Amino acid sequence: MSAIATVLTGRVAFACPTCRPAVEAGIFDEHFWGRLAITALPFAILLLIAVMVHRAGGSASVEEGSP
């Protein structure tokens, strides 16, 4: 299943040779880093929450009071 998804979505976006410079200029403009940060922000927040939950809780496999 994952191989099919990779084949279907693994293509690189392309543009004709005439339009390619305009497409690249539209992507890599002065707002690029801000848009990238906003895109990555939810993943950073989820990672932070996962780390906090992991540190707050103990291991579920260790029983309390066992020798």
Side-chain angles (χ1 to χ4, degrees), residues 18-46:
T18 306
C19 300
R20 186 170 186 92
V23 170
E24 288 178 353
I27 294 172
F28 300 110
D29 61 358
E30 65 273 2
H31 302 290
F32 174 74
W33 292 110
R35 290 177 183 152
L36 182 64
I38 290 171
T39 302
L41 187 61
F43 299 104
I45 291 171
L46 289 175

Side-chain angles (χ1 to χ4, degrees), residues 41-58:
L41 187 61
F43 299 104
I45 291 171
L46 289 175
L47 180 63
L48 178 66
I49 291 170
V51 168
M52 289 173 54
V53 167
H54 178 71
R55 287 188 177 206

